[in-house]
Amino acid sequence: MIIVGETNQVRENVNDLSERGNAQSHGANVGLIGDKITIRGGRPLVGRIEVKGAKNLVTKAMVAALLGETPSILRDVPNISDVRIVRGLLEAHGVKVTEGDEPGSLQLDPVDVESAHYADIDAHAGSSRIPILFCGPLLHRLGEAFIPELGGCRIGDRPIDYHLEVLRKFGAVVEKQPDGIRMSAPNGLKGTKVELPYPSVGATEQVLLTAVRAEGITELKNAAIEPEIMDLINILQKMGAIITVDTDRVIRIEGVESLQGYQHRALFDRNEAASWAAAALATDGDIFVGGAKQAEMLTFLNVFRKVGGAFDIHDDGIRFYHPGGDLKPVIIETDVHPGFMTDWQQPLVIALTHAHGVSIVHETVYEQRFGFVDALVEMGATIQIHRECLGGHPCRFGQRNFNHSAVIAGPTKLVGADIEVPDLRGGFSHLIAALTAEGTSTVSNVGIISRGYENFITKLRLLGADFDLEG
Ligand code: EPU
């Protein structure tokens, strides 16, 4: 039996690699320390940090390696716990994962892919949603798969109905069982026509990773076209896939009989870059984010400038800074690409608490992504959450009783408090809040942040933050 999966939320420990050594290792237990930070706010963050490959590409690229008949090499892999979870799952299925040809690269050899035992999977499980993407590749390689309950950030219901529907359309037999979902493909997987109800990133990746080796042609309508998806398409093309991206969110995939390994340098993490940019603005700071690029951040940069932030674009990164003067309020609606990413709003909200006037953030991708706001209100922010669609356009959450619009009145001064990180991006925004607050804050559950931010403790130290680790 093949098992793909993870347990529910697992608290990750912070991995402060520069302090504990082993900086290039992507093993499962790297440099564990406590889960609490005491931050003395009020210091601007100033300096240079580097961002590596995008969490939301690297983890999928690692799964894609399962489809090759020869080893793949992935470069710029960040040392984050989501990568370690996927590595563990791949190893549980017989993929040999070793350090690659340069620091921060991984070699993934799928030649001996095999069924995994539940215990092996469970031992490597964590709070990531990537295991659902193992289905297509494992059905191609081994003919069956099993998915225990999924985890991930609690920012909404996060159903997997699109994924299961897509897999059924390819010919997978999906059977819900008390301990998870069992899948098989008795007649192989065949190309199909799919139209997604919403341009879901994960469901688009599910189609891509399944269609590339399915028999015949697959047409996907209403596909997500995020840069991370385009980079996954680049990887699949390197492996031998035939994929056409048409206008109007249509992707066509011509299935091929076999794929080879790839060599690829991952797209930079634009969510991490935007988070540090937001930290620079909120702390009156000046941060050079090495590795950040303009094209994938165009929409963010416009909003950053409208709020009153400044940036200089260089060949090797982007400098983000507070140029002085008052910050200005904005109205933001999060959206699928090329819109303003949902992952960017949480860190930016802290800067909006300093803006002179009323800002609105209308969250249209996840129905519950304002869980992090309670702590900010406790720290002195004036933020109200509403059920109505306040950004200007009605969204699919409008009539469904979800608190998905935030009204932020500023400027307010934040004061230190004891706060607990609720989710990955909300957690980073709590760190920023504590860094800008007057007095001392204790932020607990910070391990969650290491799911998506490589060496964030070391980076905070490099940028001059004043804090102690506890735990
Ligand atoms: N949806 C369904 N059914 C499905 C799949 C999705 O209703 O079967 C809904 C979701 O509930 C949500 C919307 O569709 O309301 C969009 O979800 P999507 O599938 O696009 O998101 P995802 O693939 O689960 C990825 C990133 C998220 C990022 C979103 C949007 C990964 C591992 N996660 O999630 O990243 O916010 O796309 O760009 O790639 C993060 O990095 O902190 C993070 C949450």
Side-chain angles (χ1 to χ4, degrees):
M1 189 216 298
I2 303 104
I3 297 168
V4 188
E6 58 184 302
T7 59
N8 278 324
Q9 293 284 333
V10 171
R11 267 164 56 123
E12 301 290 337
N13 285 303
V14 180
N15 55 300
D16 187 358
L17 301 175
S18 73
E19 289 167 342
R20 305 292 162 128
N22 202 12
Q24 299 308 334
S25 165
H26 292 84
N29 283 311
V30 190
L32 300 180
I33 58 168
D35 213 15
K36 231 183 222 184
I37 301 185
T38 301
I39 297 179
R40 290 166 290 279
R43 274 201 201 171
L45 294 189
V46 179
R48 174 175 177 138
I49 49 111
E50 307 293 322
V51 292
K52 286 228 208 77
K55 165 180 89 73
N56 293 347
L57 174 268
V58 164
T59 45
K60 289 66 176 285
M62 290 171 73
V63 178
L66 268 175
L67 289 162
E69 284 176 12
T70 53
S72 292
I73 292 187
L74 184 60
R75 304 195 180 95
D76 274 358
V77 177
N79 192 357
I80 52 176
S81 50
D82 269 15
V83 164
R84 293 193 290 279
I85 290 164
V86 177
R87 176 182 181 156
L89 287 168
L90 286 169
E91 286 172 339
H93 287 94
V95 178
K96 284 190 196 68
V97 186
T98 49
E99 302 309 309
D101 55 354
E102 63 179 42
S105 75
L106 287 181
Q107 169 155 316
L108 305 127
D109 182 349
V111 172
D112 297 321
V113 167
E114 60 185 15
S115 305
H117 299 289
Y118 184 88
D120 288 343
I121 291 294
D122 211 37
H124 294 288
S127 46
S128 156
R129 297 181 63 73
I130 312 300
I132 187 78
L133 296 176
F134 277 59
C135 293
L138 284 182
L139 286 171
H140 282 304
R141 292 293 302 250
L142 299 166
E144 58 176 348
F146 179 80
I147 313 160
E149 208 178 338
L150 292 168
C153 282
R154 292 188 212 107
I155 50 181
D157 228 11
R158 306 194 80 183
I160 51 166
D161 50 338
Y162 305 168
H163 292 258
L164 299 184
E165 192 49 34
V166 160
L167 288 160
R168 281 196 191 98
K169 285 204 156 196
F170 279 104
V173 177
V174 178
E175 197 191 331
K176 290 193 179 160
Q177 299 193 336
D179 55 342
I181 300 168
R182 196 172 299 279
M183 266 175 226
S184 60
N187 303 313
L189 298 173
K190 301 205 168 46
T192 184
K193 287 194 175 201
V194 182
E195 179 159 3
L196 295 176
Y198 183 81
S200 151
V201 168
T204 299
E205 291 158 345
Q206 186 73 263
V207 171
L208 288 168
L209 291 167
T210 308
V212 283
R213 278 201 49 205
E215 191 188 316
I217 292 175
T218 296
E219 182 187 82
L220 171 62
K221 287 189 177 163
N222 208 21
I225 50 164
E226 267 63 9
E228 292 77 13
I229 287 177
M230 292 302 138
D231 210 31
L232 181 62
I233 291 176
N234 292 339
I235 288 171
L236 292 168
Q237 188 181 53
K238 284 178 175 176
M239 297 177 81
I242 301 172
I243 303 172
T244 317
V245 182
D246 289 350
T247 49
D248 299 333
R249 299 187 176 277
V250 177
I251 299 181
R252 280 193 183 75
I253 305 117
E254 243 173 83
V256 294
E257 267 180 25
S258 68
L259 294 167
Q260 302 307 311
Y262 62 82
Q263 291 203 22
H264 192 74
R265 187 171 300 283
L267 174 76
F268 79 100
D269 197 317
R270 63 199 176 114
N271 292 342
E272 186 184 355
S275 300
W276 289 113
L281 190 59
T283 63
D284 289 339
D286 187 337
I287 302 180
F288 189 97
V289 181
K293 295 198 172 68
Q294 179 181 17
E296 290 79 10
M297 298 193 73
L298 210 68
T299 308
F300 178 83
L301 293 172
N302 285 333
V303 173
F304 192 76
R305 182 172 274 161
K306 278 202 218 172
V307 178
F311 54 87
D312 301 332
I313 293 160
H314 297 256
D315 286 349
D316 59 340
I318 304 180
R319 173 189 171 208
F320 296 95
Y321 57 103
H322 191 313
D326 291 343
L327 296 188
K328 296 180 276 288
V330 283
I331 295 176
I332 302 170
E333 282 187 313
T334 64
D335 209 342
V336 294
H337 189 75
F340 189 90
M341 279 204 83
T342 167
D343 304 280
W344 296 337
Q345 60 95 348
Q346 289 161 300
L348 199 66
V349 161
I350 312 304
L352 296 181
T353 67
H354 303 168
H356 288 244
V358 176
S359 297
I360 293 174
V361 179
H362 180 203
E363 170 59 59
T364 78
V365 179
Y366 290 113
E367 64 272 33
Q368 287 167 28
R369 213 166 190 177
F370 286 117
F372 71 108
V373 158
D374 290 348
L376 305 183
V377 170
E378 207 182 303
M379 295 173 84
T382 306
I383 305 179
Q384 285 180 346
I385 306 294
H386 296 266
R387 281 197 300 265
E388 291 76 14
C389 298
L390 294 185
H393 300 99
C395 79
R396 67 209 159 103
F397 304 139
Q399 305 305 321
R400 292 173 52 204
N401 231 8
F402 293 123
N403 285 321
H404 71 294
S405 293
V407 178
I408 303 134
T412 47
K413 227 180 181 7
L414 302 186
V415 289
D418 288 352
I419 49 182
E420 186 173 333
V421 164
D423 61 72
L424 176 63
R425 309 289 168 200
F428 196 87
S429 88
H430 281 182
L431 285 184
I432 303 176
L435 289 161
T436 66
E438 203 174 272
T440 301
S441 300
T442 303
V443 189
S444 55
N445 212 16
V446 288
I448 287 181
I449 299 171
S450 69
R451 275 192 44 218
Y453 293 88
E454 184 183 49
N455 298 347
F456 72 93
I457 297 288
T458 307
K459 289 176 184 172
L460 284 175
R461 191 164 283 135
L462 270 173
L463 295 170
D466 183 9
F467 66 90
D468 295 315
L469 296 169
E470 285 178 37

